[in-house]
Coordinates of all heavy atoms in Angstrom, one line a residue:
R88 N 7.2 49.0 -34.6 CA 6.0 49.1 -33.8 C 5.6 47.7 -33.4 O 5.5 47.3 -32.2 CB 4.8 49.8 -34.5 CG 4.9 51.3 -34.6 CD 3.8 51.9 -35.2 NE 3.6 51.4 -36.5 CZ 2.7 51.8 -37.4 NH1 1.7 52.7 -37.0 NH2 2.5 51.4 -38.7
I89 N 5.3 46.9 -34.4 CA 4.8 45.6 -34.1 C 5.8 44.6 -33.5 O 5.6 43.9 -32.6 CB 4.1 44.9 -35.3 CG1 2.8 45.6 -35.7 CG2 3.9 43.4 -35.2 CD1 2.1 45.3 -36.9
G103 N -1.0 55.2 -33.8 CA -1.6 55.5 -35.1 C -1.7 54.2 -35.9 O -1.5 54.1 -37.2
L104 N -2.0 53.1 -35.3 CA -1.9 51.7 -36.0 C -3.2 51.4 -36.7 O -4.3 51.4 -36.1 CB -1.7 50.7 -34.9 CG -1.4 49.2 -35.3 CD1 -0.1 49.1 -36.2 CD2 -1.3 48.4 -34.2
G105 N -3.1 51.1 -38.0 CA -4.2 50.7 -38.8 C -4.3 49.2 -38.8 O -3.3 48.5 -38.7
A106 N -5.6 48.7 -38.9 CA -5.8 47.3 -38.9 C -5.8 46.7 -40.4 O -6.4 47.3 -41.2 CB -7.1 47.0 -38.2
T107 N -5.0 45.6 -40.5 CA -5.1 44.9 -41.9 C -5.1 43.5 -41.6 O -4.7 43.0 -40.5 CB -3.7 45.3 -42.6 OG1 -2.7 44.7 -42.0 CG2 -3.6 46.7 -42.8
P108 N -5.6 42.6 -42.5 CA -5.7 41.2 -42.3 C -4.3 40.6 -42.1 O -4.1 39.7 -41.2 CB -6.2 40.7 -43.7 CG -7.1 41.8 -44.1 CD -6.4 43.0 -43.7
E109 N -3.2 41.2 -42.7 CA -1.9 40.6 -42.5 C -1.5 40.9 -41.1 O -0.9 40.1 -40.4 CB -1.0 41.3 -43.5 CG 0.5 40.8 -43.3 CD 1.4 41.5 -44.3 OE1 1.0 42.5 -45.0 OE2 2.6 41.1 -44.4
R110 N -1.7 42.1 -40.6 CA -1.2 42.5 -39.2 C -2.0 41.7 -38.2 O -1.5 41.4 -37.1 CB -1.4 44.0 -38.9 CG -0.4 44.8 -39.7 CD -0.7 46.3 -39.5 NE 0.4 47.1 -40.1 CZ 0.2 48.5 -40.2 NH1 -0.8 49.1 -39.8 NH2 1.2 49.2 -40.7
A111 N -3.3 41.4 -38.5 CA -4.1 40.7 -37.5 C -3.7 39.2 -37.3 O -4.2 38.6 -36.4 CB -5.5 40.7 -38.1
Q112 N -2.7 38.7 -38.0 CA -2.1 37.4 -37.7 C -1.2 37.5 -36.6 O -0.9 36.4 -35.9 CB -1.4 37.0 -39.0 CG -2.3 36.7 -40.2 CD -1.4 36.2 -41.4 OE1 -0.4 35.8 -41.3 NE2 -2.1 36.3 -42.6
Q113 N -0.8 38.7 -36.2 CA 0.2 38.9 -35.1 C -0.3 39.8 -33.9 O 0.1 39.6 -32.8 CB 1.5 39.6 -35.6 CG 2.2 38.7 -36.7 CD 3.5 39.5 -37.2 OE1 3.3 40.5 -37.7 NE2 4.6 38.8 -37.1
V114 N -1.3 40.6 -34.4 CA -1.8 41.7 -33.4 C -3.3 41.6 -33.3 O -3.9 41.4 -34.3 CB -1.3 43.0 -33.8 CG1 -1.8 44.2 -32.9 CG2 0.1 43.1 -33.9
M115 N -3.8 41.9 -32.1 CA -5.2 42.0 -31.8 C -5.5 43.5 -31.7 O -4.8 44.2 -31.1 CB -5.6 41.3 -30.6 CG -5.4 39.7 -30.6 SD -5.8 39.0 -29.0 CE -7.6 39.0 -29.1
F116 N -6.6 44.0 -32.4 CA -6.9 45.4 -32.6 C -8.1 45.8 -31.8 O -9.1 45.0 -31.7 CB -7.1 45.8 -34.1 CG -5.9 45.5 -35.0 CD1 -5.8 44.5 -35.6 CD2 -5.0 46.6 -35.1 CE1 -4.7 44.2 -36.5 CE2 -3.9 46.5 -35.9 CZ -3.8 45.3 -36.6
S117 N -8.0 46.9 -31.1 CA -9.1 47.4 -30.3 C -10.2 48.1 -31.2 O -9.9 48.1 -32.4 CB -8.6 48.4 -29.3 OG -8.3 49.6 -30.0
L125 N -6.3 58.4 -45.7 CA -5.0 58.3 -46.4 C -5.1 58.8 -47.7 O -6.1 58.6 -48.5 CB -4.7 56.7 -46.4 CG -4.6 56.0 -45.1 CD1 -4.2 54.5 -45.4 CD2 -3.6 56.6 -44.1
G154 N 8.0 51.4 -47.0 CA 7.4 50.3 -46.3 C 6.1 50.5 -45.7 O 5.5 49.6 -45.1
S155 N 5.6 51.7 -45.7 CA 4.3 52.2 -45.2 C 3.2 51.7 -45.9 O 3.4 51.2 -47.0 CB 4.2 53.7 -45.0 OG 4.2 54.3 -46.2
T156 N 2.0 51.7 -45.2 CA 0.8 51.2 -46.0 C 0.6 52.1 -47.3 O 0.2 51.5 -48.3 CB -0.4 51.5 -45.1 OG1 -0.3 50.8 -43.9 CG2 -1.7 51.1 -45.7
L157 N 1.0 53.3 -47.3 CA 0.8 54.2 -48.4 C 1.8 53.8 -49.5 O 1.4 53.8 -50.6 CB 1.1 55.7 -48.0 CG 0.0 56.2 -47.2 CD1 0.5 57.2 -46.1 CD2 -1.1 56.8 -48.0
V159 N 3.0 50.8 -50.0 CA 2.5 49.5 -50.5 C 1.3 49.7 -51.6 O 1.3 49.2 -52.6 CB 2.1 48.5 -49.4 CG1 1.4 47.3 -50.0 CG2 3.3 48.1 -48.6
W160 N 0.4 50.6 -51.0 CA -0.8 50.8 -51.9 C -0.4 51.6 -53.3 O -0.8 51.1 -54.4 CB -1.8 51.7 -51.2 CG -3.1 51.8 -51.9 CD1 -4.2 50.9 -51.7 CD2 -3.5 52.6 -53.0 NE1 -5.3 51.2 -52.6 CE2 -4.8 52.3 -53.4 CE3 -2.8 53.7 -53.7 CZ2 -5.4 52.9 -54.4 CZ3 -3.5 54.3 -54.7 CH2 -4.8 54.0 -55.1
R217 N -8.1 56.0 -49.1 CA -9.1 55.3 -48.3 C -9.1 56.0 -46.8 O -8.3 56.6 -46.4 CB -8.9 53.8 -48.2 CG -7.7 53.3 -47.5 CD -7.7 51.8 -47.3 NE -6.4 51.4 -46.8 CZ -6.1 51.3 -45.5 NH1 -7.0 51.7 -44.6 NH2 -4.9 50.8 -45.1
Q218 N -10.2 55.6 -46.2 CA -10.3 56.0 -44.7 C -9.5 55.0 -43.9 O -9.4 53.8 -44.3 CB -11.7 55.9 -44.2 CG -12.1 56.6 -42.9 CD -13.5 56.5 -42.5 OE1 -14.0 55.3 -42.2 NE2 -14.1 57.6 -42.4
S219 N -8.9 55.5 -42.8 CA -8.0 54.6 -42.0 C -8.2 54.8 -40.5 O -7.7 55.8 -40.0 CB -6.5 54.8 -42.4 OG -5.7 54.0 -41.6
P220 N -9.0 54.0 -39.9 CA -9.1 54.1 -38.4 C -7.9 53.7 -37.7 O -7.0 52.9 -38.2 CB -10.3 53.1 -38.0 CG -10.9 52.9 -39.3 CD -9.8 52.9 -40.4
A221 N -7.6 54.3 -36.5 CA -6.5 53.9 -35.7 C -7.0 53.1 -34.5 O -7.9 53.4 -34.0 CB -5.8 55.2 -35.2
H222 N -6.2 52.1 -34.2 CA -6.5 51.1 -33.1 C -5.4 51.0 -32.2 O -4.2 51.2 -32.5 CB -6.8 49.7 -33.7 CG -7.8 49.8 -34.8 ND1 -9.0 49.5 -34.8 CD2 -7.5 50.0 -36.2 CE1 -9.7 49.5 -35.9 NE2 -8.8 49.9 -36.8
V223 N -5.7 50.6 -30.9 CA -4.7 50.2 -29.9 C -4.4 48.8 -30.2 O -5.4 47.9 -30.6 CB -5.2 50.3 -28.5 CG1 -4.2 49.7 -27.4 CG2 -5.7 51.7 -28.1
G224 N -3.2 48.3 -30.2 CA -2.8 47.0 -30.5 C -2.2 46.2 -29.3 O -1.5 46.8 -28.5
Q227 N -1.3 38.8 -29.9 CA -2.4 37.9 -30.1 C -2.6 37.0 -28.8 O -1.5 36.6 -28.1 CB -1.9 36.9 -31.1 CG -2.3 37.3 -32.6 CD -3.8 37.2 -32.8 OE1 -4.6 36.6 -32.1 NE2 -4.3 37.8 -33.9
L266 N -15.1 48.0 -35.5 CA -14.3 47.0 -36.0 C -15.0 45.7 -36.4 O -15.8 45.3 -35.5 CB -13.1 46.7 -35.1 CG -12.1 45.7 -35.5 CD1 -11.2 46.2 -36.8 CD2 -11.1 45.4 -34.3

Side-chain angles (χ1 to χ4, degrees):
R88 288 181 297 181
I89 292 177
L104 187 65
T107 66
E109 182 181 7
R110 286 174 176 172
Q112 296 178 19
Q113 299 178 301
V114 176
M115 298 173 75
F116 296 94
S117 74
L125 300 182
S155 65
T156 300
L157 291 147
V159 173
W160 192 94
R217 63 175 172 84
Q218 193 179 64
S219 179
H222 310 261
V223 178
Q227 274 289 348
L266 183 63

